[in-house]
Amino acid sequence: MQNRINLFFLIQVLLICILQNSLLAQGQINFTAFGHQPKTVPDSLFVALSASTDVDKTAQLFTQIAKLHLQHGNSDSVLYYAKKLDTLSLGSLKKTSKNNTFKQQSLLLLGNGNLQKGFFDDAMAAFFHGLNLTNKQKNYDLRHELELGLGKSYFKKDSIGKAVAMFTQLCDTSESPQILAEANYYLGNIQLQQDNRQKAKNYYVKAQELINDQNSKVYLAATLTLGNIHALNQEVNLAYLNFEQVMQKSIAQRYYDLYTQAILRYGQLSREQENYEVAEMVLSMGYANSLQWNNLEMQKDIIQGLIATYKAKGDFENAYALMTQFVRLNKELAQQQNKETIKELQVQYETVQKENEILALKETQLQKENELDRQRTIKKAVLYGFLAVLVPIIGLLVVYYQKLQTQSKLNEQQEELSQQRMKTLMNKQELALAKAGLNAQHHERSRIAKQLHDSIGGNLAGIKLQLSSPNMDKEVQKEVALQVNETYELVREISHDLTPKKFIQDDFSALLKDYLKRIDQNATVEISFSAHPKERINLISEKIKVELYQITQELVTNTLKHAKAKHIDLHINILDDVLQLLFEDDGFGFNLQNTSQGIGLKNIKQRLHYLQGTMVIDSALNRGTAITIEIPV
């Protein structure tokens, strides 16, 4: 019997194709919808899911795939991924707000999947659970989606008053065009159920305007229901146009549940208009697609439409054959549902077994804990008895130890007093010697400074005056005068440098700044100077101040003599107890490998050796010179 029916429908499909072409040529229908292979989820999402190792990413993919199945009417797949998402949120070790959102999303999908499958009580339970969770958070978008699902459940269970209240509330509170469109669509369904056709039509048109997308499922659902209103108003052509639009677009967008409804309404309207050939062709075409898609629910619905068509046509033989097919489909669906029920029962049985195992483990653990408590009690009793004997002995030992400690502290204090007296005497002697050394050094430097200033300085000043005689050759006079003037200034600076008084009384950074300012005013070179932090730089030892001042003079003098620079940068800073001097000029520079170091650089190295400092020179011809000096402070 089964083979005869399948052969009958294969022959019928071939005839339908011929009839379809004939009707298309005559203009009676203007759509085609045969031979589409359903593919609701892109392969890329499954590839990404198999490669995902991140919990958040996996949860997002579960949600995305479930929503696609929901959109295309695959309720079983929606429920599967909703449970997977719920398991993922429960299995996470970290209880975060994001995990709670996954839980709410799984409940929303579970409710919509049950709603689509016709399990309205289960759907309402899921929506209520989700709403209880959203009360603890301010996730208004998710809350509105759950309220929308609850309103649909009320509508399906004929609780019209509660449904109207829920949809009206959503129209007042939600800002989502999708949610507003669906709320208006269901308000239209309620009005149509009460035979208020014009009000229903207004709600459907408003839903379409809100969503503003002709490929949207809500838009097409409203179009289908508008076609029903046209059919009720005997506006047959308009009804056909609406149904054809829904059939074309829903199969293109893979809305298979909506496609089935459009097929059935088109067949019903054609049957009512006694266009049995068109009704048979359209329903058979839908049946052929349902066979190709292996969608048993769709096959059952369409076969009912075909049976009604054959009865109206008087073809009771085919009606009987289809009735047999209908019975077979019911059995297959029942078997599938039984298999699902058995699976659920098996899971429940395994869960109970695991719970019993857990209870047994808990009892064993409890016995072990009781035994441990008993052993702890015995150990505590023994310990307390031992302590009762041990405490007096420890008290005696403590008293004896304290006496020894007191005697030892007295001896240590006497030794410390003796050492302090010796240290005081030694410090006094060292201070006396240091003062004597400083006075001698001060007198010696003053004597050398006076000698340089009075004798050498005076002599050079006299030479300068003699060479300034107008009888000498002007070029020679100018060159000699410059050399002598430079020598005079250097001797003058040396005489000032050898006097340590200014390093004691003046801020060192200000002293350097004044020196560089004098050079800047009397030479063609421009000098930039910075010191940071000035407070720490001014507090460095006198020894470092003197040597650093003289190093700076050597560097500036070498640049003025040899580099012919236009600009000099001098920066001094202290970081991590290291004083750093950075000296740069834009002069001629020199080749480090081919140029021997002059007296100036050798003097600088000797001073740095005395201060345990280091110097790095970076120079090249026509690229200037950069010198970095570091001195521990």
Side-chain angles (χ1 to χ4, degrees), residues 520-578:
D520 193 10
Q521 290 175 348
N522 297 324
T524 58
V525 68
E526 181 181 353
I527 300 175
S528 299
F529 171 71
S530 66
H532 180 79
K534 292 182 180 180
E535 296 80 9
R536 289 196 66 187
I537 292 171
N538 293 333
L539 292 175
I540 59 177
S541 65
E542 179 186 344
K543 177 178 70 173
I544 296 177
K545 287 181 181 178
V546 172
E547 297 297 338
L548 192 62
Y549 190 90
Q550 292 173 350
I551 287 170
T552 304
Q553 288 180 319
E554 286 283 355
L555 293 173
V556 173
T557 302
N558 283 347
T559 300
L560 293 174
K561 280 185 178 181
H562 307 295
K564 295 185 180 180
K566 295 181 180 179
H567 191 86
I568 294 174
D569 287 320
L570 179 64
H571 305 283
I572 299 176
N573 62 74
I574 294 178
L575 181 65
D576 296 334
D577 296 330
V578 176

Side-chain angles (χ1 to χ4, degrees), residues 426-442:
M426 291 177 67
N427 288 336
K428 286 182 179 179
Q429 290 179 356
E430 288 177 358
L431 286 172
L433 289 172
K435 286 182 180 179
L438 286 173
N439 290 333
Q441 189 179 22
H442 177 71

Side-chain angles (χ1 to χ4, degrees), residues 362-378:
K362 285 183 178 178
E363 287 179 2
T364 305
Q365 179 115 18
L366 188 59
Q367 291 176 358
K368 289 181 179 179
E369 288 178 357
N370 291 334
E371 179 63 23
L372 287 173
D373 288 339
R374 190 180 67 82
Q375 292 179 1
R376 287 194 198 102
T377 304
I378 295 171

Side-chain angles (χ1 to χ4, degrees), residues 190-363:
I190 292 169
Q191 292 297 325
L192 185 59
Q193 198 176 60
Q194 297 170 354
D195 203 28
N196 297 325
R197 299 178 190 177
Q198 187 56 45
K199 288 184 178 180
K201 185 176 180 180
N202 293 338
Y203 276 117
Y204 294 139
V205 171
K206 187 175 181 181
Q208 289 180 327
E209 291 173 350
L210 284 165
I211 203 68
N212 196 24
D213 179 7
Q214 293 188 8
N215 292 320
S216 167
K217 193 170 186 179
V218 181
Y219 189 99
L220 292 174
T223 304
L224 179 64
T225 323
L226 284 170
N228 292 337
I229 294 175
H230 289 312
L232 290 172
N233 292 335
Q234 298 302 314
E235 298 168 343
V236 177
N237 291 332
L238 291 176
Y240 277 132
L241 286 173
N242 285 131
F243 297 149
E244 289 167 6
Q245 181 183 357
V246 175
M247 289 165 65
Q248 287 282 17
K249 291 188 177 294
S250 61
I251 200 166
Q253 299 299 322
R254 302 186 181 93
Y255 303 146
Y256 302 116
D257 52 346
L258 201 58
Y259 167 75
T260 305
Q261 293 177 38
I263 285 281
L264 293 172
R265 287 297 297 122
Y266 199 103
Q268 181 182 351
L269 183 60
S270 298
R271 185 168 62 250
E272 291 171 355
Q273 297 297 315
E274 297 183 357
N275 294 326
Y276 299 123
E277 290 183 349
V278 174
E280 182 181 354
M281 186 218 56
V282 172
L283 291 168
S284 298
M285 183 169 52
Y287 181 77
N289 278 332
S290 67
L291 284 174
Q292 186 178 6
W293 301 336
N294 195 28
N295 190 321
L296 299 181
E297 290 286 351
M298 187 185 295
Q299 290 176 37
K300 188 178 78 170
D301 292 339
I302 294 175
I303 283 176
Q304 283 182 307
L306 281 168
I307 290 171
T309 301
Y310 285 128
K311 283 181 179 179
K313 187 179 177 182
D315 188 354
F316 296 106
E317 181 180 357
N318 279 330
Y320 174 76
L322 284 174
M323 182 61 72
T324 307
Q325 183 80 349
F326 180 76
V327 171
R328 183 188 64 80
L329 284 174
N330 275 333
K331 286 182 180 179
E332 286 188 24
L333 286 170
Q335 288 174 358
Q336 285 189 358
Q337 290 173 355
N338 288 334
K339 287 179 181 178
E340 290 179 2
T341 304
I342 290 169
K343 285 182 181 178
E344 289 180 2
L345 290 173
Q346 183 178 358
V347 170
Q348 292 174 1
Y349 172 72
E350 292 174 354
T351 304
V352 170
Q353 278 191 324
K354 288 180 180 179
E355 288 176 353
N356 291 333
E357 290 176 2
I358 292 169
L359 287 173
L361 288 172
K362 285 183 178 178
E363 287 179 2

Side-chain angles (χ1 to χ4, degrees), residues 341-542:
T341 304
I342 290 169
K343 285 182 181 178
E344 289 180 2
L345 290 173
Q346 183 178 358
V347 170
Q348 292 174 1
Y349 172 72
E350 292 174 354
T351 304
V352 170
Q353 278 191 324
K354 288 180 180 179
E355 288 176 353
N356 291 333
E357 290 176 2
I358 292 169
L359 287 173
L361 288 172
K362 285 183 178 178
E363 287 179 2
T364 305
Q365 179 115 18
L366 188 59
Q367 291 176 358
K368 289 181 179 179
E369 288 178 357
N370 291 334
E371 179 63 23
L372 287 173
D373 288 339
R374 190 180 67 82
Q375 292 179 1
R376 287 194 198 102
T377 304
I378 295 171
K379 289 178 180 179
K380 285 179 181 179
V382 173
L383 180 62
Y384 291 153
F386 178 72
L387 289 175
V389 177
L390 187 62
V391 168
I393 298 172
I394 292 174
L396 292 173
L397 291 173
V398 168
V399 172
Y400 179 70
Y401 178 74
Q402 286 177 346
K403 287 183 178 179
L404 289 176
Q405 286 288 99
T406 304
Q407 186 64 39
S408 177
K409 285 182 180 179
L410 287 172
N411 294 336
E412 288 178 359
Q413 288 176 356
Q414 289 178 356
E415 282 187 18
E416 286 179 0
L417 287 171
S418 300
Q419 288 179 0
Q420 284 178 359
R421 288 172 185 170
M422 291 179 65
K423 284 182 180 178
T424 302
L425 292 173
M426 291 177 67
N427 288 336
K428 286 182 179 179
Q429 290 179 356
E430 288 177 358
L431 286 172
L433 289 172
K435 286 182 180 179
L438 286 173
N439 290 333
Q441 189 179 22
H442 177 71
H443 288 307
E444 180 63 18
R445 286 181 173 175
S446 298
R447 184 186 66 76
I448 294 172
K450 184 176 181 182
Q451 183 178 0
L452 287 171
H453 186 271
D454 294 342
S455 59
I456 298 175
N459 290 340
L460 290 176
I463 293 170
K464 180 180 179 182
L465 290 172
Q466 290 177 6
L467 292 175
S468 300
S469 173
N471 297 325
M472 294 183 66
D473 180 76
K474 288 186 178 181
E475 292 296 327
V476 176
Q477 176 186 353
K478 185 177 180 181
E479 184 68 27
V480 173
L482 286 172
Q483 293 178 0
V484 173
N485 184 56
E486 184 179 350
T487 305
Y488 173 77
E489 289 294 333
L490 289 173
V491 172
R492 185 172 180 273
E493 289 171 3
I494 290 170
S495 68
H496 285 293
D497 293 341
L498 290 172
T499 304
K501 183 178 179 181
K502 59 187 177 183
F503 294 109
I504 299 171
Q505 295 179 351
D506 299 332
D507 291 340
F508 181 62
S509 58
L511 198 65
L512 275 176
K513 188 175 182 180
D514 290 339
Y515 162 70
L516 294 171
K517 187 176 181 181
R518 292 198 305 272
I519 299 297
D520 193 10
Q521 290 175 348
N522 297 324
T524 58
V525 68
E526 181 181 353
I527 300 175
S528 299
F529 171 71
S530 66
H532 180 79
K534 292 182 180 180
E535 296 80 9
R536 289 196 66 187
I537 292 171
N538 293 333
L539 292 175
I540 59 177
S541 65
E542 179 186 344

Side-chain angles (χ1 to χ4, degrees), residues 28-53:
Q28 293 187 35
I29 59 170
N30 58 359
F31 63 90
T32 57
F34 180 73
H36 290 266
Q37 181 67 30
K39 190 174 185 181
T40 56
V41 181
D43 293 337
S44 58
L45 289 180
F46 293 114
V47 172
L49 183 61
S50 62
S52 176
T53 57

